[in-house]
Every structure is written in C-alpha cells, then in structure tokens.
Amino acid sequence: MAADLTVHLAGLALRNPILSASGTFGHGLEMRRIVSPSVVGGLVSKTVTRLPRPGNPMPRIAETEAGFLNSIGLENRGIRAYMDKTLAEVADADTLIITNIGGHSAAEFAELAEQLDARAEVDAIEVNLSCPNVDGGRLPFSTDPRVAEDVMRRVRAVTTKPLFAKLSPNVTRIEDIAVAVEAGGADAITAVNTVLGVGIDWRTRKPRLNTIVGGYSGTGIKPIALRCALACVSAVDIPVIGCGGITTASDVLEFIVAGCAAVQVGTASFAEPGRIAALVLELEALLDSAGIAAVRELVGTLDVTPRTPLRPAGEY
Ligand SMILES: Cc1cc2nc3c(=O)[nH]c(=O)nc-3n(C[C@H](O)[C@H](O)[C@H](O)COP(=O)(O)O)c2cc1C
C-alpha cells in the first residue's frame, strides 16, 4: 500500500508535507500547467507588500556552483492587486494557500494581515521577517528577538489565521528568534530564508548582482538550513517547516527526521519546474521501499546519541 503522506500542522491538514517556497513558484496558480495544485501540500505566495514594488535592477540572479544568488527585491504588485486578482484566481484551488507578507514596520505587517484575515481563500499567513525594519536602522526584523516577537504579536492581534514566522539563517542564535516568535503567537516556524552571499566576476571586476550582496539558495545551503531547522525544533513546541536546498526525497526526509513537520521547496523548481510534483511521487516511493507506512512516523526521529563517547569538558 502506498505510504501515507498526510501531515497536520498549525491546525491545517496537508495532503503531503511538500509546499512551494515563497518567491519561487509564482503567487498562486501560475504554475498549474506544469504542476497541478492538487498534488502539493500547499502553495506559498511570493511576498506581498502594501504597495507595488518593481524589485531591484538587473542583474539580480547569478548562478553559483551549488544553487544561486538572488536580489529580486520583493517585486510584487502590492496587496490590492493580490486581493483583487490573485485571490480571486485561487478561490477554488485544490490545495492550501499560504500568503507570505512583508513590511517595513510592525504596523505595516499588521495592516496586511488584517486585510488578509477577511479573505476565506487564505488558509494561513507566512510573515517574512527578513524584510528591513525602517524603524530599526533597516536591520531585518529576523535579527532581533524583541523586534521579531513584536511583529508576531501585532499580527496575532489582528488575525485568527494560522501564522507561520519565516526566519533568517543570518543570525548567531536562530533558536532565540524561534523562542521569541513562538511567544509572539506564531503557530509554526519556517526555517529558513536565504543565506547572505556575494558573487564576483574577477574578469570584469564586477559583483555578479547589482546590489552586490544577495540571498544564496539551493543545494549549497542545505546543511545550513538543516542546522537552523534542528535548532528551532529543539527550542520551541510549535511545528517547524524546513526550507533550504531541498531537491530530492532524501532531502525531504532529512528535514523530517530532524523534526520538521513539513518542508518547502524553492530553488529546485527553477532547474526543473515540475520537481515539486516529482518529489511527492519520489517521497511515496522512497517510504514504500523503506517499509515505512506513514511519513509522520519519521518526524523527529533523529538519534543524537554520540557514536563515540564525547570527552568530558576540559579534557583535550
Ligand atoms: C528567486 C527567489 C525569490 C525569493 N523570493 C522570496 C520572497 O519573496 N519571500 C520570501 O520569504 N522568500 C523568498 N525567497 C526565499 C525562498 O522562499 C527560500 O526560503 C530560500 O530560497 C531557501 O530555499 P531553497 O534553497 O529551496 O530555494 C526567494 C528565493 C529565491 C531563490
């Protein structure tokens, strides 16, 4: 019998643990000719902001040996167009719709969440905490536990929808941010957004991105994302959604064993737009071949017993 892929998180029932990652799969149903929405666990929108944003000037994507750098700059048509056009299109999508929001202040996040709260098409809201905080020296909300908690509290106050807090790996102790967003009312954590990176073309002496610094994603960041996900799982009681470099069914199960309730797939969809659908089939086949009846059985089964006894502190 085919393995049971269903999972539950933050009060949502997912047909499988595989979601698209924000900004990598359109806003809603743009990809439906390649991937039927009914095969994935859910679709996460590109970040929606209060006003339309043209994004950053080109070049804003650069390939690396293992993934790529981007500085798209949250290009989107703004909340009004999203509510009027995109949500109308996804009205009868046969999957969960998670709207990812971005703001420059806690008040702006709350304003967006309040508008989305009124829309039945939205199953959950993902708060992109990697946006720069205009009231805080343009540091991302995701880098300060108090600021991250405040954003979640303000958003929590205006919506009853399940709330995902999307964290950045570009911090020293992601577990502190995880604890803060849980205290602020997050129902789940998405770990993680892109890793800060730079690409240089030494022949032209030019940075590969117009913004110089961008976000690194894809297979190269998987170990970083796994560490972050594991740190979050260990720190909080709310479910964690793993994200970063996931391309194969084995990758999915690594995050599941680390304790993630679900995963998001981003960059892999650029190399192969149908990857996310193939991944669902591969996951089922992999579990079947391993004799595992349900993916849920593997969540958090990581055996952290040291293989060789560790030396007592100070004995080196
Ligand atoms: C081109 C591109 C655009 C992205 N846009 C967004 C975005 O709008 N909002 C967001 O929260 N994350 C955005 N991300 C981050 C992804 O959702 C994901 O967190 C990250 O890429 C790591 O996953 P991956 O290695 O599977 O791509 C973007 C990533 C890429 C590659």
Side-chain angles (χ1 to χ4, degrees):
M1 213 179 73
D4 178 0
L5 298 185
T6 57
V7 292
H8 285 84
L9 70 94
L12 300 166
L14 280 67
R15 63 167 62 85
N16 63 59
I18 299 175
L19 303 140
S20 64
S22 177
T24 64
F25 215 69
H27 246 334
L29 303 186
E30 290 92 332
M31 302 292 279
R32 66 179 169 269
R33 276 195 218 103
I34 298 168
V35 174
S36 162
S38 67
V39 306
V40 293
L43 296 173
V44 181
S45 78
K46 170 137 197 77
T47 294
V48 183
T49 53
R50 193 162 74 83
L51 297 174
R53 287 175 57 94
N56 290 323
M58 313 281 178
R60 53 189 198 176
I61 291 249
E63 270 195 68
T64 72
E65 299 78 0
F68 60 66
L69 290 159
N70 91 82
S71 60
I72 304 293
L74 304 185
E75 177 178 339
N76 79 101
R77 292 182 300 168
I79 187 76
R80 191 72 358 254
Y82 180 79
M83 302 238 300
D84 294 348
K85 299 201 178 82
T86 310
L87 284 185
E89 279 163 27
V90 302
D92 47 16
D94 185 14
T95 195
L96 296 177
I97 298 294
I98 297 111
T99 305
N100 177 303
I101 56 172
H104 289 311
S105 63
E108 213 172 285
F109 274 105
E111 186 187 322
L112 293 166
E114 192 168 14
Q115 293 182 65
L116 292 168
D117 185 65
R119 297 298 296 260
E121 303 92 326
V122 177
D123 295 296
I125 298 172
E126 183 173 78
V127 179
N128 177 4
L129 292 168
S130 298
C131 302
N133 176 6
V134 166
D135 299 333
R138 298 194 62 79
L139 280 175
F141 296 92
S142 51
T143 56
D144 182 332
R146 277 165 308 169
V147 175
E149 181 177 340
D150 180 51
V151 172
M152 296 314 296
R153 235 177 245 294
R154 301 279 289 272
V155 172
R156 179 75 290 162
V158 296
T159 180
T160 53
K161 305 247 186 227
L163 277 182
F164 302 177
K166 184 164 180 185
L167 304 192
S168 165
N170 306 310
V171 291
T172 309
R173 282 181 51 86
I174 196 169
E175 48 275 51
D176 294 348
I177 316 289
V179 168
V181 295
E182 183 182 42
D187 299 299
I189 285 171
T190 305
V192 280
N193 213 311
T194 52
V195 177
L196 287 174
V198 168
I200 289 176
D201 180 343
W202 74 267
R203 289 179 199 279
T204 60
R205 324 288 202 270
K206 289 272 188 203
R208 293 199 184 270
L209 295 175
N210 201 58
T211 51
I212 307 175
V213 177
Y216 179 35
S217 63
T219 53
I221 74 163
K222 194 183 74 175
I224 299 168
L226 262 174
R227 184 200 74 84
C228 289
L230 189 57
C232 292
V233 164
S234 311
V236 296
D237 293 325
I238 52 177
V240 175
I241 303 162
C243 180
I246 295 168
T247 313
T248 67
S250 279
D251 296 338
V252 174
L253 291 181
E254 288 171 27
F255 281 83
I256 298 277
V257 166
C260 294
V263 297
Q264 295 182 1
V265 178
T267 300
S269 296
F270 285 83
E272 184 190 336
R275 176 92 301 256
I276 192 164
L279 207 44
V280 175
L281 298 176
E282 288 169 15
L283 180 61
E284 195 175 283
L286 187 58
L287 289 169
D288 286 346
S289 70
I292 294 161
V295 70
R296 286 189 303 276
E297 289 173 21
L298 286 179
V299 175
T301 51
L302 185 67
D303 177 3
V304 289
T305 320
R307 264 173 277 192
T308 321
L310 297 172
R311 289 195 181 89
E315 217 184 87
Y316 288 100

